[in-house]
Amino acid sequence: MNCENCGAPMRLVRNHDYYVCDYCGTFHHPDPNRDGVRVLGESSDSECPVCQLMLVTAALDRNPVLYCPNCRGILIHQAIFVFCLDYLRKRSKTPTPPQRFDPKELERPLRCPRCHRDMNTHPYGGPGNIVIDNCYTCSLVWLDYGELNRILTAPGEDHLGDLMGEE
């Protein structure tokens, strides 16, 4: 990525979700998508389990994830997934009505980008009514585009005040 101000190459700031130009000092903060993911775009060595294109680096609330620029799926470590969900659901202020998932999603075979074994595909036990794919061996979770947003905005105890019109 090159600086919009001077054209020099920008450097990704380690453990953060933004770039800096070492030449002129300009910062670039990528905008988050609907799922709250900031795409950083650095190459990874993992392929997307859905479309087999290379995943790129991204950040979810300053936590590292991998992202597919084609299908917009997210590969996230299970510990980061649990931590981010708890934190981000508490900050989410807009519960939306639950949606049904398509049962055919349970039949989709995905391979883990790290160990290449079949991922476990099952209904997610938390809010959001989605199908989730995870690899128990690598502790990775795959979320299709929009699924994280469905989890974050699903009605639940942590959104009860919003649903009842309270603050």
Side-chain angles (χ1 to χ4, degrees), residues 122-166:
H122 55 89
Y124 175 58
N129 204 20
I130 64 165
V131 171
I132 194 168
D133 305 282
N134 60 347
C135 177
Y136 294 131
T137 304
C138 300
S139 297
L140 295 174
V141 174
W142 176 259
L143 296 169
D144 293 315
Y145 183 66
E147 289 180 336
L148 182 59
N149 186 57
R150 284 175 62 180
I151 293 170
L152 297 179
T153 61
E157 196 171 293
D158 47 354
H159 286 177
L160 192 56
D162 293 325
L163 292 173
M164 299 178 76
E166 300 171 7

mmCIF file of all heavy atoms in Angstrom, residues 122-166:
data_model
loop_
_atom_site.group_PDB
_atom_site.id
_atom_site.type_symbol
_atom_site.label_atom_id
_atom_site.label_comp_id
_atom_site.label_asym_id
_atom_site.label_seq_id
_atom_site.Cartn_x
_atom_site.Cartn_y
_atom_site.Cartn_z
ATOM 1 N N HIS A 122 -21.534 -27.099 12.170
ATOM 2 C CA HIS A 122 -22.667 -27.329 13.080
ATOM 3 C C HIS A 122 -23.366 -26.004 13.363
ATOM 4 O O HIS A 122 -22.785 -24.930 13.174
ATOM 5 C CB HIS A 122 -22.188 -27.962 14.382
ATOM 6 C CG HIS A 122 -21.118 -27.169 15.059
ATOM 7 N ND1 HIS A 122 -21.388 -26.167 15.965
ATOM 8 C CD2 HIS A 122 -19.768 -27.204 14.938
ATOM 9 C CE1 HIS A 122 -20.256 -25.641 16.386
ATOM 10 N NE2 HIS A 122 -19.251 -26.247 15.774
ATOM 11 N N PRO A 123 -24.626 -26.058 13.849
ATOM 12 C CA PRO A 123 -25.291 -24.823 14.266
ATOM 13 C C PRO A 123 -24.528 -24.206 15.440
ATOM 14 O O PRO A 123 -24.091 -24.919 16.349
ATOM 15 C CB PRO A 123 -26.684 -25.273 14.706
ATOM 16 C CG PRO A 123 -26.894 -26.598 14.053
ATOM 17 C CD PRO A 123 -25.521 -27.215 13.954
ATOM 18 N N TYR A 124 -24.346 -22.909 15.398
ATOM 19 C CA TYR A 124 -23.673 -22.198 16.474
ATOM 20 C C TYR A 124 -24.570 -22.194 17.701
ATOM 21 O O TYR A 124 -25.756 -21.899 17.609
ATOM 22 C CB TYR A 124 -23.352 -20.776 16.011
ATOM 23 C CG TYR A 124 -22.755 -19.887 17.062
ATOM 24 C CD1 TYR A 124 -21.577 -20.226 17.704
ATOM 25 C CD2 TYR A 124 -23.361 -18.686 17.401
ATOM 26 C CE1 TYR A 124 -21.024 -19.399 18.669
ATOM 27 C CE2 TYR A 124 -22.808 -17.842 18.353
ATOM 28 C CZ TYR A 124 -21.638 -18.209 18.984
ATOM 29 O OH TYR A 124 -21.094 -17.386 19.933
ATOM 30 N N GLY A 125 -24.032 -22.501 18.867
ATOM 31 C CA GLY A 125 -24.817 -22.599 20.088
ATOM 32 C C GLY A 125 -25.145 -21.271 20.731
ATOM 33 O O GLY A 125 -25.951 -21.206 21.638
ATOM 34 N N GLY A 126 -24.534 -20.189 20.278
ATOM 35 C CA GLY A 126 -24.800 -18.873 20.840
ATOM 36 C C GLY A 126 -25.840 -18.129 20.026
ATOM 37 O O GLY A 126 -26.538 -18.703 19.192
ATOM 38 N N PRO A 127 -25.944 -16.829 20.255
ATOM 39 C CA PRO A 127 -26.928 -16.025 19.534
ATOM 40 C C PRO A 127 -26.578 -15.876 18.064
ATOM 41 O O PRO A 127 -25.427 -16.029 17.664
ATOM 42 C CB PRO A 127 -26.858 -14.672 20.249
ATOM 43 C CG PRO A 127 -25.498 -14.632 20.829
ATOM 44 C CD PRO A 127 -25.138 -16.038 21.176
ATOM 45 N N GLY A 128 -27.554 -15.588 17.242
ATOM 46 C CA GLY A 128 -27.322 -15.291 15.844
ATOM 47 C C GLY A 128 -27.858 -16.311 14.871
ATOM 48 O O GLY A 128 -28.017 -16.038 13.701
ATOM 49 N N ASN A 129 -28.132 -17.540 15.356
ATOM 50 C CA ASN A 129 -28.726 -18.557 14.510
ATOM 51 C C ASN A 129 -27.942 -18.746 13.206
ATOM 52 O O ASN A 129 -28.464 -18.552 12.119
ATOM 53 C CB ASN A 129 -30.194 -18.224 14.237
ATOM 54 C CG ASN A 129 -30.988 -19.464 13.876
ATOM 55 O OD1 ASN A 129 -30.567 -20.578 14.180
ATOM 56 N ND2 ASN A 129 -32.111 -19.272 13.238
ATOM 57 N N ILE A 130 -26.676 -19.122 13.326
ATOM 58 C CA ILE A 130 -25.825 -19.341 12.161
ATOM 59 C C ILE A 130 -25.247 -20.748 12.199
ATOM 60 O O ILE A 130 -25.316 -21.433 13.221
ATOM 61 C CB ILE A 130 -24.657 -18.335 12.101
ATOM 62 C CG1 ILE A 130 -23.718 -18.517 13.290
ATOM 63 C CG2 ILE A 130 -25.165 -16.905 11.997
ATOM 64 C CD1 ILE A 130 -22.383 -17.830 13.139
ATOM 65 N N VAL A 131 -24.682 -21.156 11.069
ATOM 66 C CA VAL A 131 -23.904 -22.382 10.988
ATOM 67 C C VAL A 131 -22.443 -21.965 11.088
ATOM 68 O O VAL A 131 -22.012 -21.028 10.417
ATOM 69 C CB VAL A 131 -24.177 -23.124 9.662
ATOM 70 C CG1 VAL A 131 -23.207 -24.278 9.486
ATOM 71 C CG2 VAL A 131 -25.612 -23.615 9.624
ATOM 72 N N ILE A 132 -21.713 -22.636 11.941
ATOM 73 C CA ILE A 132 -20.317 -22.287 12.176
ATOM 74 C C ILE A 132 -19.436 -23.466 11.767
ATOM 75 O O ILE A 132 -19.853 -24.619 11.844
ATOM 76 C CB ILE A 132 -20.115 -21.900 13.654
ATOM 77 C CG1 ILE A 132 -18.780 -21.220 13.860
ATOM 78 C CG2 ILE A 132 -20.274 -23.088 14.557
ATOM 79 C CD1 ILE A 132 -18.652 -20.571 15.226
ATOM 80 N N ASP A 133 -18.244 -23.160 11.301
ATOM 81 C CA ASP A 133 -17.269 -24.180 10.924
ATOM 82 C C ASP A 133 -16.047 -23.985 11.807
ATOM 83 O O ASP A 133 -15.561 -22.864 11.946
ATOM 84 C CB ASP A 133 -16.870 -24.017 9.456
ATOM 85 C CG ASP A 133 -18.073 -24.021 8.535
ATOM 86 O OD1 ASP A 133 -18.596 -25.104 8.263
ATOM 87 O OD2 ASP A 133 -18.488 -22.926 8.109
ATOM 88 N N ASN A 134 -15.573 -25.066 12.412
ATOM 89 C CA ASN A 134 -14.365 -24.923 13.214
ATOM 90 C C ASN A 134 -13.499 -26.163 13.110
ATOM 91 O O ASN A 134 -13.959 -27.240 12.765
ATOM 92 C CB ASN A 134 -14.678 -24.569 14.675
ATOM 93 C CG ASN A 134 -15.506 -25.590 15.380
ATOM 94 O OD1 ASN A 134 -16.073 -26.476 14.761
ATOM 95 N ND2 ASN A 134 -15.594 -25.492 16.682
ATOM 96 N N CYS A 135 -12.216 -25.969 13.406
ATOM 97 C CA CYS A 135 -11.240 -27.051 13.421
ATOM 98 C C CYS A 135 -10.808 -27.232 14.860
ATOM 99 O O CYS A 135 -10.192 -26.334 15.445
ATOM 100 C CB CYS A 135 -10.042 -26.709 12.538
ATOM 101 S SG CYS A 135 -8.755 -27.979 12.599
ATOM 102 N N TYR A 136 -11.146 -28.375 15.438
ATOM 103 C CA TYR A 136 -10.775 -28.643 16.817
ATOM 104 C C TYR A 136 -9.266 -28.797 16.968
ATOM 105 O O TYR A 136 -8.698 -28.419 17.982
ATOM 106 C CB TYR A 136 -11.479 -29.896 17.336
ATOM 107 C CG TYR A 136 -12.978 -29.747 17.444
ATOM 108 C CD1 TYR A 136 -13.834 -30.700 16.916
ATOM 109 C CD2 TYR A 136 -13.542 -28.650 18.073
ATOM 110 C CE1 TYR A 136 -15.203 -30.578 17.021
ATOM 111 C CE2 TYR A 136 -14.918 -28.504 18.179
ATOM 112 C CZ TYR A 136 -15.738 -29.475 17.652
ATOM 113 O OH TYR A 136 -17.091 -29.339 17.758
ATOM 114 N N THR A 137 -8.610 -29.334 15.953
ATOM 115 C CA THR A 137 -7.170 -29.550 16.009
ATOM 116 C C THR A 137 -6.410 -28.234 16.083
ATOM 117 O O THR A 137 -5.496 -28.070 16.883
ATOM 118 C CB THR A 137 -6.698 -30.348 14.769
ATOM 119 O OG1 THR A 137 -7.427 -31.573 14.704
ATOM 120 C CG2 THR A 137 -5.214 -30.630 14.824
ATOM 121 N N CYS A 138 -6.800 -27.263 15.252
ATOM 122 C CA CYS A 138 -6.081 -25.986 15.160
ATOM 123 C C CYS A 138 -6.726 -24.870 15.975
ATOM 124 O O CYS A 138 -6.199 -23.766 16.022
ATOM 125 C CB CYS A 138 -5.991 -25.559 13.703
ATOM 126 S SG CYS A 138 -5.116 -26.748 12.662
ATOM 127 N N SER A 139 -7.881 -25.129 16.563
ATOM 128 C CA SER A 139 -8.634 -24.125 17.332
ATOM 129 C C SER A 139 -8.978 -22.902 16.479
ATOM 130 O O SER A 139 -8.864 -21.766 16.919
ATOM 131 C CB SER A 139 -7.861 -23.688 18.580
ATOM 132 O OG SER A 139 -7.670 -24.768 19.440
ATOM 133 N N LEU A 140 -9.396 -23.158 15.244
ATOM 134 C CA LEU A 140 -9.768 -22.081 14.326
ATOM 135 C C LEU A 140 -11.265 -22.117 14.051
ATOM 136 O O LEU A 140 -11.876 -23.180 14.027
ATOM 137 C CB LEU A 140 -9.002 -22.207 13.009
ATOM 138 C CG LEU A 140 -7.495 -22.017 13.103
ATOM 139 C CD1 LEU A 140 -6.846 -22.311 11.749
ATOM 140 C CD2 LEU A 140 -7.154 -20.607 13.560
ATOM 141 N N VAL A 141 -11.826 -20.946 13.821
ATOM 142 C CA VAL A 141 -13.247 -20.794 13.497
ATOM 143 C C VAL A 141 -13.338 -20.086 12.159
ATOM 144 O O VAL A 141 -12.649 -19.095 11.923
ATOM 145 C CB VAL A 141 -13.973 -19.961 14.583
ATOM 146 C CG1 VAL A 141 -15.414 -19.685 14.187
ATOM 147 C CG2 VAL A 141 -13.907 -20.660 15.928
ATOM 148 N N TRP A 142 -14.207 -20.577 11.263
ATOM 149 C CA TRP A 142 -14.479 -19.923 9.992
ATOM 150 C C TRP A 142 -15.876 -19.329 10.048
ATOM 151 O O TRP A 142 -16.848 -20.009 10.410
ATOM 152 C CB TRP A 142 -14.408 -20.900 8.819
ATOM 153 C CG TRP A 142 -14.787 -20.242 7.534
ATOM 154 C CD1 TRP A 142 -15.988 -20.324 6.891
ATOM 155 C CD2 TRP A 142 -13.986 -19.348 6.766
ATOM 156 N NE1 TRP A 142 -15.969 -19.545 5.766
ATOM 157 C CE2 TRP A 142 -14.757 -18.927 5.657
ATOM 158 C CE3 TRP A 142 -12.694 -18.847 6.906
ATOM 159 C CZ2 TRP A 142 -14.273 -18.051 4.700
ATOM 160 C CZ3 TRP A 142 -12.211 -17.974 5.949
ATOM 161 C CH2 TRP A 142 -12.997 -17.595 4.859
ATOM 162 N N LEU A 143 -15.983 -18.042 9.713
ATOM 163 C CA LEU A 143 -17.271 -17.362 9.644
ATOM 164 C C LEU A 143 -17.461 -16.817 8.237
ATOM 165 O O LEU A 143 -16.582 -16.132 7.708
ATOM 166 C CB LEU A 143 -17.319 -16.198 10.636
ATOM 167 C CG LEU A 143 -17.221 -16.557 12.102
ATOM 168 C CD1 LEU A 143 -17.007 -15.306 12.937
ATOM 169 C CD2 LEU A 143 -18.474 -17.295 12.558
ATOM 170 N N ASP A 144 -18.592 -17.124 7.634
ATOM 171 C CA ASP A 144 -18.924 -16.539 6.340
ATOM 172 C C ASP A 144 -19.288 -15.078 6.543
ATOM 173 O O ASP A 144 -19.657 -14.663 7.653
ATOM 174 C CB ASP A 144 -20.106 -17.290 5.700
ATOM 175 C CG ASP A 144 -19.734 -18.721 5.330
ATOM 176 O OD1 ASP A 144 -18.649 -18.931 4.753
ATOM 177 O OD2 ASP A 144 -20.534 -19.625 5.640
ATOM 178 N N TYR A 145 -19.218 -14.304 5.463
ATOM 179 C CA TYR A 145 -19.525 -12.884 5.543
ATOM 180 C C TYR A 145 -20.932 -12.671 6.103
ATOM 181 O O TYR A 145 -21.881 -13.340 5.698
ATOM 182 C CB TYR A 145 -19.405 -12.232 4.170
ATOM 183 C CG TYR A 145 -19.651 -10.747 4.207
ATOM 184 C CD1 TYR A 145 -18.784 -9.902 4.874
ATOM 185 C CD2 TYR A 145 -20.745 -10.191 3.574
ATOM 186 C CE1 TYR A 145 -18.993 -8.534 4.919
ATOM 187 C CE2 TYR A 145 -20.968 -8.824 3.604
ATOM 188 C CZ TYR A 145 -20.086 -8.001 4.277
ATOM 189 O OH TYR A 145 -20.305 -6.651 4.313
ATOM 190 N N GLY A 146 -21.045 -11.775 7.049
ATOM 191 C CA GLY A 146 -22.329 -11.430 7.647
ATOM 192 C C GLY A 146 -22.655 -12.230 8.892
ATOM 193 O O GLY A 146 -23.511 -11.825 9.683
ATOM 194 N N GLU A 147 -22.000 -13.384 9.087
ATOM 195 C CA GLU A 147 -22.328 -14.201 10.255
ATOM 196 C C GLU A 147 -21.900 -13.538 11.562
ATOM 197 O O GLU A 147 -22.630 -13.593 12.548
ATOM 198 C CB GLU A 147 -21.699 -15.593 10.126
ATOM 199 C CG GLU A 147 -22.375 -16.432 9.061
ATOM 200 C CD GLU A 147 -21.783 -17.811 8.917
ATOM 201 O OE1 GLU A 147 -20.612 -18.035 9.268
ATOM 202 O OE2 GLU A 147 -22.529 -18.692 8.412
ATOM 203 N N LEU A 148 -20.749 -12.912 11.564
ATOM 204 C CA LEU A 148 -20.316 -12.219 12.775
ATOM 205 C C LEU A 148 -21.300 -11.105 13.125
ATOM 206 O O LEU A 148 -21.701 -10.947 14.273
ATOM 207 C CB LEU A 148 -18.907 -11.660 12.618
ATOM 208 C CG LEU A 148 -18.349 -10.956 13.846
ATOM 209 C CD1 LEU A 148 -18.297 -11.884 15.049
ATOM 210 C CD2 LEU A 148 -16.967 -10.399 13.547
ATOM 211 N N ASN A 149 -21.736 -10.367 12.133
ATOM 212 C CA ASN A 149 -22.713 -9.305 12.359
ATOM 213 C C ASN A 149 -24.019 -9.876 12.924
ATOM 214 O O ASN A 149 -24.623 -9.286 13.818
ATOM 215 C CB ASN A 149 -22.970 -8.544 11.057
ATOM 216 C CG ASN A 149 -23.867 -7.356 11.273
ATOM 217 O OD1 ASN A 149 -23.579 -6.481 12.079
ATOM 218 N ND2 ASN A 149 -24.971 -7.325 10.551
ATOM 219 N N ARG A 150 -24.443 -11.037 12.433
ATOM 220 C CA ARG A 150 -25.664 -11.664 12.955
ATOM 221 C C ARG A 150 -25.502 -12.049 14.418
ATOM 222 O O ARG A 150 -26.436 -11.913 15.214
ATOM 223 C CB ARG A 150 -26.040 -12.883 12.114
ATOM 224 C CG ARG A 150 -26.670 -12.480 10.792
ATOM 225 C CD ARG A 150 -26.950 -13.630 9.885
ATOM 226 N NE ARG A 150 -27.892 -14.586 10.443
ATOM 227 C CZ ARG A 150 -28.270 -15.682 9.800
ATOM 228 N NH1 ARG A 150 -27.805 -15.958 8.603
ATOM 229 N NH2 ARG A 150 -29.123 -16.516 10.361
ATOM 230 N N ILE A 151 -24.322 -12.528 14.790
ATOM 231 C CA ILE A 151 -24.072 -12.870 16.194
ATOM 232 C C ILE A 151 -24.090 -11.605 17.052
ATOM 233 O O ILE A 151 -24.703 -11.563 18.116
ATOM 234 C CB ILE A 151 -22.714 -13.589 16.355
ATOM 235 C CG1 ILE A 151 -22.746 -14.964 15.684
ATOM 236 C CG2 ILE A 151 -22.354 -13.732 17.832
ATOM 237 C CD1 ILE A 151 -21.383 -15.627 15.590
ATOM 238 N N LEU A 152 -23.406 -10.573 16.586
ATOM 239 C CA LEU A 152 -23.267 -9.347 17.376
ATOM 240 C C LEU A 152 -24.584 -8.611 17.565
ATOM 241 O O LEU A 152 -24.791 -7.959 18.585
ATOM 242 C CB LEU A 152 -22.235 -8.413 16.748
ATOM 243 C CG LEU A 152 -20.807 -8.947 16.677
ATOM 244 C CD1 LEU A 152 -19.895 -7.931 16.014
ATOM 245 C CD2 LEU A 152 -20.294 -9.342 18.042
ATOM 246 N N THR A 153 -25.476 -8.701 16.591
ATOM 247 C CA THR A 153 -26.727 -7.946 16.670
ATOM 248 C C THR A 153 -27.933 -8.807 17.050
ATOM 249 O O THR A 153 -29.050 -8.307 17.065
ATOM 250 C CB THR A 153 -27.013 -7.226 15.337
ATOM 251 O OG1 THR A 153 -27.146 -8.191 14.295
ATOM 252 C CG2 THR A 153 -25.918 -6.228 15.000
ATOM 253 N N ALA A 154 -27.690 -10.082 17.356
ATOM 254 C CA ALA A 154 -28.807 -10.959 17.723
ATOM 255 C C ALA A 154 -29.375 -10.550 19.081
ATOM 256 O O ALA A 154 -28.632 -10.153 19.978
ATOM 257 C CB ALA A 154 -28.342 -12.412 17.780
ATOM 258 N N PRO A 155 -30.695 -10.633 19.244
ATOM 259 C CA PRO A 155 -31.274 -10.352 20.555
ATOM 260 C C PRO A 155 -30.713 -11.314 21.590
ATOM 261 O O PRO A 155 -30.351 -12.439 21.273
ATOM 262 C CB PRO A 155 -32.768 -10.600 20.351
ATOM 263 C CG PRO A 155 -32.990 -10.581 18.887
ATOM 264 C CD PRO A 155 -31.698 -10.990 18.252
ATOM 265 N N GLY A 156 -30.647 -10.857 22.808
ATOM 266 C CA GLY A 156 -30.153 -11.701 23.887
ATOM 267 C C GLY A 156 -30.153 -10.931 25.188
ATOM 268 O O GLY A 156 -30.498 -9.749 25.227
ATOM 269 N N GLU A 157 -29.756 -11.597 26.226
ATOM 270 C CA GLU A 157 -29.764 -10.994 27.552
ATOM 271 C C GLU A 157 -28.939 -9.705 27.593
ATOM 272 O O GLU A 157 -29.307 -8.745 28.252
ATOM 273 C CB GLU A 157 -29.220 -11.997 28.561
ATOM 274 C CG GLU A 157 -29.532 -11.638 29.981
ATOM 275 C CD GLU A 157 -29.172 -12.766 30.910
ATOM 276 O OE1 GLU A 157 -29.825 -13.821 30.835
ATOM 277 O OE2 GLU A 157 -28.225 -12.565 31.689
ATOM 278 N N ASP A 158 -27.821 -9.691 26.863
ATOM 279 C CA ASP A 158 -26.976 -8.501 26.864
ATOM 280 C C ASP A 158 -27.564 -7.367 26.015
ATOM 281 O O ASP A 158 -27.034 -6.271 25.998
ATOM 282 C CB ASP A 158 -25.551 -8.817 26.424
ATOM 283 C CG ASP A 158 -25.480 -9.678 25.178
ATOM 284 O OD1 ASP A 158 -26.539 -10.129 24.697
ATOM 285 O OD2 ASP A 158 -24.379 -9.929 24.694
ATOM 286 N N HIS A 159 -28.665 -7.615 25.327
ATOM 287 C CA HIS A 159 -29.359 -6.574 24.556
ATOM 288 C C HIS A 159 -30.762 -6.327 25.100
ATOM 289 O O HIS A 159 -31.559 -5.640 24.500
ATOM 290 C CB HIS A 159 -29.496 -6.984 23.082
ATOM 291 C CG HIS A 159 -28.228 -6.893 22.327
ATOM 292 N ND1 HIS A 159 -28.133 -7.278 21.025
ATOM 293 C CD2 HIS A 159 -26.986 -6.461 22.665
ATOM 294 C CE1 HIS A 159 -26.900 -7.102 20.609
ATOM 295 N NE2 HIS A 159 -26.186 -6.604 21.585
ATOM 296 N N LEU A 160 -31.074 -6.911 26.229
ATOM 297 C CA LEU A 160 -32.426 -6.844 26.768
ATOM 298 C C LEU A 160 -32.908 -5.417 26.982
ATOM 299 O O LEU A 160 -34.033 -5.085 26.642
ATOM 300 C CB LEU A 160 -32.491 -7.621 28.098
ATOM 301 C CG LEU A 160 -33.878 -7.901 28.648
ATOM 302 C CD1 LEU A 160 -34.724 -8.643 27.619
ATOM 303 C CD2 LEU A 160 -33.781 -8.716 29.918
ATOM 304 N N GLY A 161 -32.046 -4.542 27.488
ATOM 305 C CA GLY A 161 -32.449 -3.150 27.699
ATOM 306 C C GLY A 161 -32.818 -2.474 26.398
ATOM 307 O O GLY A 161 -33.778 -1.712 26.333
ATOM 308 N N ASP A 162 -32.081 -2.753 25.321
ATOM 309 C CA ASP A 162 -32.387 -2.162 24.021
ATOM 310 C C ASP A 162 -33.728 -2.651 23.503
ATOM 311 O O ASP A 162 -34.493 -1.909 22.917
ATOM 312 C CB ASP A 162 -31.289 -2.514 23.014
ATOM 313 C CG ASP A 162 -29.959 -1.865 23.371
ATOM 314 O OD1 ASP A 162 -29.978 -0.738 23.886
ATOM 315 O OD2 ASP A 162 -28.927 -2.504 23.150
ATOM 316 N N LEU A 163 -34.013 -3.940 23.724
ATOM 317 C CA LEU A 163 -35.273 -4.475 23.230
ATOM 318 C C LEU A 163 -36.470 -3.942 23.978
ATOM 319 O O LEU A 163 -37.561 -3.843 23.456
ATOM 320 C CB LEU A 163 -35.257 -6.013 23.330
ATOM 321 C CG LEU A 163 -34.286 -6.715 22.396
ATOM 322 C CD1 LEU A 163 -34.238 -8.198 22.725
ATOM 323 C CD2 LEU A 163 -34.686 -6.520 20.951
ATOM 324 N N MET A 164 -36.250 -3.568 25.236
ATOM 325 C CA MET A 164 -37.361 -3.066 26.049
ATOM 326 C C MET A 164 -37.421 -1.550 26.057
ATOM 327 O O MET A 164 -38.198 -0.956 26.785
ATOM 328 C CB MET A 164 -37.209 -3.609 27.480
ATOM 329 C CG MET A 164 -37.265 -5.122 27.517
ATOM 330 S SD MET A 164 -37.033 -5.767 29.169
ATOM 331 C CE MET A 164 -38.643 -5.396 29.854
ATOM 332 N N GLY A 165 -36.551 -0.890 25.283
ATOM 333 C CA GLY A 165 -36.572 0.551 25.194
ATOM 334 C C GLY A 165 -35.884 1.229 26.361
ATOM 335 O O GLY A 165 -36.084 2.418 26.590
ATOM 336 N N GLU A 166 -35.073 0.499 27.109
ATOM 337 C CA GLU A 166 -34.341 1.068 28.238
ATOM 338 C C GLU A 166 -32.924 1.397 27.799
ATOM 339 O O GLU A 166 -32.460 0.952 26.782
ATOM 340 C CB GLU A 166 -34.289 0.058 29.384
ATOM 341 C CG GLU A 166 -35.661 -0.340 29.877
ATOM 342 C CD GLU A 166 -35.571 -1.501 30.871
ATOM 343 O OE1 GLU A 166 -34.453 -1.865 31.250
ATOM 344 O OE2 GLU A 166 -36.619 -2.021 31.250
#
